[in-house]
Amino acid sequence: MGKQEIRYAAKVSLKEPANSQSNLHNRWHPDIPFAGTIKNEEVVKIECVDWTGGQIGNNDSADDMKNVDLTCVHYLTGPFEIETAEPGDVLLVEIQDVQPMQDQPWGFTGVFDKKNGGGFLDEIYPNAAKAIWDFEGIFCSSRHIPHVRFPGLIHPGILGCAPSAEVLETWNKREGELITECAHMDRVVALPPLLKSVHAGSADGELKEKIGNEGARTIPGRPEHGGNCDIKNLSRGSKVYLPVHVKGAKFSVGDLHFSQGDGEISFCGAIEMPGVITLKFTEPSFGPGRYIYFEGFSVDEHGKQHYMDATVAYRQTTLRCIEYLKRYGYDDYQIYLLLSCAPVQGHFAGVVDIPNACTTMGLPIDIFDFDISPGTPAKKMDMGSCAK
Amino acid sequence: MGKQEIRYAAKVSLKEPANSQSNLHNRWHPDIPFAGTIKNEEVVKIECVDWTGGQIGNNDSADDMKNVDLTCVHYLTGPFEIETAEPGDVLLVEIQDVQPMQDQPWGFTGVFDKKNGGGFLDEIYPNAAKAIWDFEGIFCSSRHIPHVRFPGLIHPGILGCAPSAEVLETWNKREGELITECAHMDRVVALPPLLKSVHAGSADGELKEKIGNEGARTIPGRPEHGGNCDIKNLSRGSKVYLPVHVKGAKFSVGDLHFSQGDGEISFCGAIEMPGVITLKFTEPSFGPGRYIYFEGFSVDEHGKQHYMDATVAYRQTTLRCIEYLKRYGYDDYQIYLLLSCAPVQGHFAGVVDIPNACTTMGLPIDIFDFDISPGTPAKKMDMGSCAK
Amino acid sequence: MGKQEIRYAAKVSLKEPANSQSNLHNRWHPDIPFAGTIKNEEVVKIECVDWTGGQIGNNDSADDMKNVDLTCVHYLTGPFEIETAEPGDVLLVEIQDVQPMQDQPWGFTGVFDKKNGGGFLDEIYPNAAKAIWDFEGIFCSSRHIPHVRFPGLIHPGILGCAPSAEVLETWNKREGELITECAHMDRVVALPPLLKSVHAGSADGELKEKIGNEGARTIPGRPEHGGNCDIKNLSRGSKVYLPVHVKGAKFSVGDLHFSQGDGEISFCGAIEMPGVITLKFTEPSFGPGRYIYFEGFSVDEHGKQHYMDATVAYRQTTLRCIEYLKRYGYDDYQIYLLLSCAPVQGHFAGVVDIPNACTTMGLPIDIFDFDISPGTPAKKMDMGSCAK
Amino acid sequence: MGKQEIRYAAKVSLKEPANSQSNLHNRWHPDIPFAGTIKNEEVVKIECVDWTGGQIGNNDSADDMKNVDLTCVHYLTGPFEIETAEPGDVLLVEIQDVQPMQDQPWGFTGVFDKKNGGGFLDEIYPNAAKAIWDFEGIFCSSRHIPHVRFPGLIHPGILGCAPSAEVLETWNKREGELITECAHMDRVVALPPLLKSVHAGSADGELKEKIGNEGARTIPGRPEHGGNCDIKNLSRGSKVYLPVHVKGAKFSVGDLHFSQGDGEISFCGAIEMPGVITLKFTEPSFGPGRYIYFEGFSVDEHGKQHYMDATVAYRQTTLRCIEYLKRYGYDDYQIYLLLSCAPVQGHFAGVVDIPNACTTMGLPIDIFDFDISPGTPAKKMDMGSCAK
């Protein structure tokens, strides 16, 4: 009678190494074994380590930041089997809460050394630096940046479903071409698959090696599944629509942020923390919010990978929004005009996750006199035409 | 006893050609004669024509949009002498209201032909198109885009003070270099000075010719003075801080928008309209708002002009914000970390005004436990250090 | 082709006496002749005088406030015939804009003398007082209350349709009984019909006398039609649903406020001004706002008139909200529980319009997973039951 | 190095009876022994039982609600000694977080039987009823009120410092007089001290009996210390200023609500729950929020106790706000005018806690051009005068 305590779909340890925990992984690959099963409509809690897997300490030196091993980061919790999810489905995930770990009420923000990671302003600020943030309920403050204190807009940096083999192949090809093209540049423009430090959950032996050789690195978000999108407003109460590429979805989540600014500019720029996220895997319903947000990345409409180009990303974001609104009978030019003049919100999301800049466009749903929310069936109407 | 009706600093005619009205102009140049004088602390109303100077009609054809003469646009009202303003000053302007013309309650949004203006998506949408919007109080709707209706976030697209001769020279040099570099590209990347169709207010003869030969085109916003920044939230109630480059400031304003989305993507993408703006030229005071917004353009910190690069623009926006906060004693790395993780708002402003993309960063002032508003003197404090 | 300038359904003069203008009136009565006709779906502008009909001057003396003739106030513009409106209909009015008069950019706030009008705190503050407010675009400030300045939440204090003869009789009976009951008190508790100073629009002779003898005073709002509700948030963008009691609706509006606090405590407590309101008489459509607001007055569910009892008014507000939600199949107790715990907004509206206190309850529509907006047909669902 | 886990100042058991736990109490009295000590600037977590002390079950019957023992409710956690707090001080408490108990993710809303507690609408709805709410992160929903789901505005219903002996005597005298006056009415108008079921923390024997005979019941909020104010917006991030009446403050907190509507109309009307609150006992700092909220109760300025009169309460709220603003040099009439016309927020807080209605007024601080926040010293300025 009445609901019981919310189930933990996964617990993690902050004491053991991340790469020894079988419900964590640090690559995107369809063959990483399931770490558990989640029912439709189920509410679960999922614990996450911080994205460096505990490499950073609560101290006053930036040496750990400078020497961080960037092959051992972005440990995600999962992948979870979502019952009945099939390729082609859209998985709706509601973010019901995000909390720091009870017994670790602090997080960190870092600048990497230009030679080991870099960041948005690394030509101007090439050295490593770090700030520790203490959490007091919804607030945070730092002994390293005095006279500042604010409530965190707490959110996950990464969530998404596993790519199919085909999608993964597309990623590797596209990013490989960029690496080839930019071979003459003196900077790392993308991160190809890497056997070193691969952690593939419970996979071992040959399978693990395969995953290491093929698996996509988790740093960039990618247009086909989201991933590391670093959207600061994807906070408590948000609903996310994720494309499913493999049977059971293989959903993963991690990289929790106590707070972040648009752009996450210093790369390790959010307030990174381990914590617990409460999610519901649910059906769409009426009126969940006033904006629908679309993402876009610096992969253009021909599938070409650009390097950190926010202009390309914003163009893609716009095209996705146009695609969405065409379902109702508007033609391309009507929507192009509309997105130009209606009060859409155009934000930088992440500008540091090589090679993909991520931008978002928030479309206000109240400007329409019919319901355009994702959960309702789209009916084409006669929309006439703009002047041509 | 009590204040009288607010003075009109300028009235315009919607019937006469824009280029015959001596209080309008379509170039940025220090020698355009004053169109009037405004006192310190004075509140004035200023009428503006639409930015095409009336070339677009309220009809159902896009021919006017297709054939628009782009040498005859961006007519600004001014320049006004602001009493006591001297080079090196910062001029504070409060936007108290913006209204459409009483007798012209409509505006337009357009897509230019790819061969005559283009826009953000012109490779995909190369044809001209147009939508007419009817205004009903704060709302607008269009017979060309049915089932949509919203309150406008009304604002000026352009405001700024005239460049000095030195600043103007920098602009022409910088943009000229970009044109040279990109000579091989098949698209217009910047607009050099142009004698054709120059309108220099009351200037005539040789002076007008000089202004035509040297004057900066008004399409791009530029980091040294703002100009065509197209920031949708720069609406009623906003305060703007503008650098003064010449004696008397030579302030101009125009390109009023009933509404606009972030990016103004279709180029003529806002709801363009003639109208009247109420401004106060005023002193700073306590607590004007909860965010301070910083602009950045695609001119990098070495003065190099990039072509429509929003990533460069956002980097510049960030650097301006860092510069501002250093006044209080924080060091660069502390601020770099802070802007990464505090809930700053990173927006696209204009992505169509060649060659400058414009982006903004909103810094929340309530995260500080001291007053960082622009009107208060900055006092350096001992801010310690982040981990290094 | 394209809409023309918005039609003025009524213009007023600020120079001529209010009681000589035939499109003004200061009583609620079904027989006041129509002052004009408004079409369905039409957008119109309506000019209004300030509620004292110009008795208050822009000066530094409160004598005009002290000696104000309270029989000559609340001049409303109208009544307008709304085409096709029939008794039993609900009239939907959208407030599209409210503006001060172009040539009178100021308003006033007053305290009446305890012996001539009084107010919420008249036992403590018995003297007349006045502040003049200057308008600068959306802002106002006062030489009488320095160091204060704010944007006005501009709105009409009064709007409603005429009562039928039956409704009017109910009002007179109910308020008459209160006057009788309170005969021993030393204060005015309600205002009965009054022949003196009646202004009945174009009515003259016997009809005017009849209206004077029977017509309801405009000071109190009343549950059957709204009237003087003084709701500060009933501002630009709001939609109001008004019951129609007579053929053609006989809609009137007036008492424009540049700003007001909840309660309008000093009685003449808003920033009173003449001005122009833009209204649309329209059909319901999707998604008008996030809250539905219900009014309640200090007339209890047995029809008994209480004197300025906000507790009674809030109880009535609650009961109206319960009535509304029963349309969907919820039972009384479910709703009673829901309104107790969901984040409804309970506000004081007017606490000075004898004998009716007016309170409001804002019901958030997003807490429901179906559409409860007034424009959509209500369908009873099986809602089960709460524990009983 | 770095902060540790936040200290629990008190833990409670949901299994043991509330009246056997020595850090709980259910009366306001200066002699209840301290339940612990909290340092200045300390952040602590405090666990609380639900206000019925666990009398209500997660089931589908309202019998527990009907038969609830109302002498055994409102168990508060405390009283805590706040180091250095002295009578006459103002204690600043920041609410940093409120959470349900991890292992009891549900709460309840109830209607009492008219004969045992009643509520705001008990003449119309005399029967007991109950709804159980399940919590999913920040959201709640109920099997008893289907098709409704919302994020809770989580907050404590009760917090305050102990009365001094003098203050307590005032309360008992004032409420006693009301009981005498209303002896002829057939309803309970106030709750006098009661020996039955008194729980005085660790006090025993004679001291406990004394507390039972003199101690104030916790149902009504009271103007001298706050107490049961039931303000729905007193949520995470709020700062509260509490008068200190006894050495060490003797601060208590309880009656946590997952959500509540303005008025908490059904009496047991919030979503009641046990939980944990995170508080900081701190110094004022710059810029805490945009509104300062003032409370008022139905005790008039002569000290007379009225019965549930929201009009009286709102008048008191207004007078408190006037008192506050006089510190800056404004005279009474200037403020009276200002509160009438500036956009102050006037809310119902609690309308069910006999005999005190509680109302609030939110004063926007940004309308002033100087800093009026409570933490800054008030300096009298020359404010001239309004018209008189």
Side-chain angles (χ1 to χ4, degrees), chain C residues 205-371:
Chain C
E206 277 182 36
L207 178 55
K208 182 173 177 179
E209 199 175 322
K210 180 182 187 231
I211 291 168
N213 284 326
E214 301 172 356
R217 306 287 287 279
T218 55
I219 293 281
R222 293 180 180 92
E224 290 82 358
H225 82 144
N228 191 17
C229 53
D230 291 329
I231 299 172
K232 77 174 193 307
N233 289 80
L234 197 64
S235 189
R236 299 192 269 219
S238 299
K239 292 182 181 179
V240 196
Y241 295 81
L242 295 169
V244 173
H245 296 288
V246 302
K247 192 172 168 57
K250 294 206 164 176
F251 171 85
S252 299
V253 62
D255 191 19
L256 303 186
H257 296 163
F258 191 83
S259 176
Q260 186 205 289
D262 278 337
E264 203 195 358
I265 56 173
S266 79
F267 196 8
C268 179
I271 300 183
E272 312 286 347
M273 63 171 200
V276 54
I277 185 167
T278 308
L279 297 174
K280 184 170 193 175
F281 292 83
T282 187
E283 293 301 309
S285 63
F286 178 80
R290 310 324 313 156
Y291 285 87
I292 307 172
Y293 268 85
F294 297 84
E295 293 177 350
F297 297 87
S298 46
V299 175
D300 71 21
E301 65 274 17
H302 310 297
K304 183 174 165 58
Q305 177 73 58
H306 296 252
Y307 175 69
M308 298 310 297
D309 190 322
T311 308
V312 169
Y314 197 53
R315 203 175 275 128
Q316 293 309 302
T317 311
T318 306
L319 288 171
R320 284 183 166 203
C321 193
I322 290 174
E323 204 56 39
Y324 185 82
L325 287 175
K326 285 169 71 174
R327 309 187 316 159
Y328 301 103
Y330 291 115
D331 81 9
D332 300 81
Y333 281 89
Q334 285 177 310
I335 309 169
Y336 187 18
L337 289 165
L338 180 63
L339 299 183
S340 298
C341 69
V344 302
Q345 305 286 344
H347 278 276
F348 289 85
V351 293
V352 291
D353 300 315
I354 55 169
N356 270 331
C358 176
T359 65
T360 61
M361 177 177 274
L363 177 68
I365 71 173
D366 286 333
I367 68 174
F368 298 91
D369 68 8
F370 58 99
D371 187 356

Side-chain angles (χ1 to χ4, degrees), chain B residues 309-346:
Chain B
D309 190 323
T311 308
V312 169
Y314 196 55
R315 203 175 274 127
Q316 292 310 301
T317 310
T318 306
L319 288 170
R320 285 183 167 202
C321 193
I322 290 175
E323 205 56 39
Y324 185 83
L325 287 175
K326 285 170 71 174
R327 308 187 316 159
Y328 300 102
Y330 291 115
D331 81 11
D332 300 81
Y333 281 89
Q334 286 178 310
I335 309 169
Y336 187 16
L337 288 165
L338 181 63
L339 299 183
S340 298
C341 68
V344 302
Q345 305 286 344

Side-chain angles (χ1 to χ4, degrees), chain B residues 98-369:
Chain B
V98 185
Q99 293 282 341
M101 292 295 193
Q102 188 87 342
D103 54 356
Q104 189 169 319
W106 60 270
F108 60 92
T109 301
V111 177
F112 291 133
D113 191 285
K114 186 171 189 309
K115 300 197 197 85
N116 184 27
F120 193 53
L121 303 177
D122 53 11
E123 294 179 16
I124 302 168
Y125 304 123
N127 301 322
K130 188 176 81 179
I132 299 296
W133 296 87
D134 293 308
F135 307 149
E136 296 182 344
I138 60 169
F139 294 98
C140 62
S141 60
S142 171
R143 64 186 183 268
H144 294 125
I145 308 178
H147 297 296
V148 168
R149 186 161 171 275
F150 54 89
L153 203 51
I154 202 164
H155 63 276
I158 302 180
L159 77 179
C161 299
S164 64
E166 294 69 34
V167 166
L168 179 59
E169 200 184 323
T170 306
W171 293 354
N172 284 332
K173 181 162 178 294
R174 178 167 83 198
E175 293 174 21
E177 288 169 358
L178 179 73
I179 293 171
T180 307
E181 273 173 38
C182 299
H184 61 286
M185 289 171 66
D186 72 337
R187 70 182 301 158
V188 178
V189 298
L191 302 165
L194 182 71
L195 192 54
K196 178 169 185 305
S197 303
V198 63
H199 179 42
S202 60
D204 220 335
E206 277 182 37
L207 177 55
K208 183 173 177 178
E209 198 175 322
K210 181 181 186 232
I211 291 167
N213 284 326
E214 300 171 358
R217 306 286 286 278
T218 54
I219 293 280
R222 292 180 181 92
E224 290 81 358
H225 83 143
N228 190 18
C229 54
D230 290 328
I231 299 172
K232 76 173 194 306
N233 289 80
L234 197 64
S235 188
R236 300 192 269 218
S238 298
K239 292 183 180 179
V240 195
Y241 295 81
L242 296 169
V244 173
H245 297 288
V246 302
K247 192 172 169 53
K250 294 208 163 175
F251 170 85
S252 298
V253 63
D255 191 18
L256 304 186
H257 297 163
F258 191 83
S259 176
Q260 185 205 290
D262 277 337
E264 204 195 358
I265 55 172
S266 78
F267 196 6
C268 180
I271 300 183
E272 311 287 346
M273 63 170 200
V276 54
I277 185 165
T278 308
L279 297 173
K280 184 170 193 177
F281 293 83
T282 186
E283 292 303 308
S285 63
F286 177 80
R290 310 326 312 158
Y291 285 87
I292 307 173
Y293 269 84
F294 296 84
E295 292 177 350
F297 296 86
S298 45
V299 175
D300 71 21
E301 65 273 18
H302 309 297
K304 182 174 166 57
Q305 177 74 57
H306 296 252
Y307 175 69
M308 299 309 298
D309 190 323
T311 308
V312 169
Y314 196 55
R315 203 175 274 127
Q316 292 310 301
T317 310
T318 306
L319 288 170
R320 285 183 167 202
C321 193
I322 290 175
E323 205 56 39
Y324 185 83
L325 287 175
K326 285 170 71 174
R327 308 187 316 159
Y328 300 102
Y330 291 115
D331 81 11
D332 300 81
Y333 281 89
Q334 286 178 310
I335 309 169
Y336 187 16
L337 288 165
L338 181 63
L339 299 183
S340 298
C341 68
V344 302
Q345 305 286 344
H347 279 275
F348 289 84
V351 293
V352 290
D353 299 315
I354 55 170
N356 269 331
C358 176
T359 64
T360 61
M361 177 177 274
L363 178 68
I365 72 173
D366 286 333
I367 69 174
F368 298 91
D369 69 7

Side-chain angles (χ1 to χ4, degrees), chain A residues 1-5 8 43 58-59 94 96 99 102-103 136-139 143 149 236-237 280, chain D residues 1-3 5 8 43 58-59 94 96 99 102-103 134 136-139 143 149 236-237 280:
Chain A
M1 185 147 296
K3 289 201 185 146
Q4 302 305 311
E5 190 169 358
Y8 278 81
V43 177
N58 186 340
N59 54 46
E94 184 180 69
Q96 300 197 329
Q99 294 282 340
Q102 189 86 342
D103 53 355
E136 296 181 344
I138 60 168
F139 293 98
R143 65 187 181 267
R149 185 160 172 277
R236 299 192 269 219
K280 185 170 192 177
Chain D
M1 185 147 298
K3 289 202 185 146
E5 190 170 357
Y8 278 81
V43 177
N58 187 339
N59 54 44
E94 184 180 69
Q96 300 198 328
Q99 293 282 340
Q102 189 88 342
D103 54 355
D134 292 309
E136 297 181 343
I138 60 168
F139 294 97
R143 64 185 183 268
R149 185 160 172 275
R236 299 192 267 220
K280 185 170 192 176

Side-chain angles (χ1 to χ4, degrees), chain A residues 11-18 21 23-24 47-49 53 101:
Chain A
K11 292 222 173 198
V12 298
S13 163
L14 302 187
K15 307 238 165 82
E16 290 172 54
Q21 301 183 43
N23 52 10
L24 299 178
E47 285 190 350
C48 302
V49 297
M101 292 296 193

Side-chain angles (χ1 to χ4, degrees), chain C residues 38-58:
Chain C
I38 295 170
K39 290 198 175 60
N40 289 322
E41 300 281 323
E42 191 179 0
V43 177
V44 295
K45 294 192 178 190
I46 298 173
E47 285 190 350
C48 301
V49 297
D50 85 75
W51 81 287
T52 69
Q55 295 186 55
I56 306 303
N58 186 339

